[in-house]
């Protein structure tokens, strides 16, 4: 396990427990620290509590209480340097931030996450 990953925390948000649990397992297997939330309000609370540690917000686009797009906007108001990756079964729903299409494999997810985390803050959304 790389030391670099041990210090990177990812906040995973999906209203389906099976999805955020599986994503958590995928990412922890790669050595990331993972926080999970099942709704946007819980995610914002967790983000405020752990803001200095969170390197990436990985959120579903469609959720019942607040969309992942709105969640990202609110988190980015707290930290404009936060890296964001959306998950969605729908095409073109990420507004240019970057989106991984569901369903995805562990290899696809961890590759995409690794690439985004390696980007400098100014280029964080260059990977579409």
């Amino acid at each position: 396990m790389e030391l670099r990953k041990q210090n990177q925390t990812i906040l995973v948000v999906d209203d389906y427990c099976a999805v955020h649990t599986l994503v958590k397992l995928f990412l922890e297997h790669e050595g990331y620290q993972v926080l999970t939330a099942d709704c946007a309000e819980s995610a914002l609370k967790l983000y405020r509590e752990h803001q200095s540690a969170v390197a990436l917000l990985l959120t579903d686009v469609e959720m019942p209480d607040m969309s992942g797009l709105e969640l990202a906007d609110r988190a980015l108001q707290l930290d404009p340097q936060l890296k964001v990756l959306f998950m969605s079964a729908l095409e073109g729903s990420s507004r240019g931030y970057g989106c991984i299409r569901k369903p995805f494999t562990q290899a696809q997810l961890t590759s995409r996450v690794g690439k985004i985390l390696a980007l400098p803050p100014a280029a964080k959304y260059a990977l579409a």
Side-chain angles (χ1 to χ4, degrees), residues 36-51:
T36 60
D38 61 2
C39 69
E41 287 299 329
S42 293
L44 282 171
K45 182 179 183 219
L46 268 175
Y47 183 67
R48 286 183 189 107
E49 292 170 4
H50 302 279
Q51 183 174 340

Side-chain angles (χ1 to χ4, degrees), residues 22-128:
L22 184 61
V23 170
K24 177 181 167 105
L25 290 172
F26 283 173
L27 295 170
E28 286 180 338
H29 184 262
E30 291 296 312
Y32 295 104
Q33 300 296 314
V34 181
L35 302 170
T36 60
D38 61 2
C39 69
E41 287 299 329
S42 293
L44 282 171
K45 182 179 183 219
L46 268 175
Y47 183 67
R48 286 183 189 107
E49 292 170 4
H50 302 279
Q51 183 174 340
S52 63
V54 175
L56 175 69
L57 171 63
L58 176 59
T59 182
D60 190 16
V61 173
E62 298 292 325
M63 295 185 290
D65 65 330
M66 176 190 312
S67 76
L69 301 172
E70 185 179 343
L71 168 61
D73 287 344
R74 291 177 67 182
L76 287 164
Q77 287 175 356
L78 298 170
D79 179 7
Q81 299 301 310
L82 177 66
K83 295 179 180 182
V84 178
L85 176 61
F86 293 102
M87 302 180 282
S88 181
L90 305 172
E91 286 281 336
S93 55
S94 70
R95 254 192 319 178
Y97 286 106
C99 188
I100 186 164
R101 184 139 187 219
K102 293 178 185 176
F104 45 76
T105 66
Q106 180 175 351
Q108 290 168 327
L109 176 65
T110 57
S111 172
R112 188 65 177 274
V113 165
K115 287 177 184 174
I116 288 174
L117 288 173
L119 290 171
K124 64 185 168 189
Y125 304 117
L127 300 172

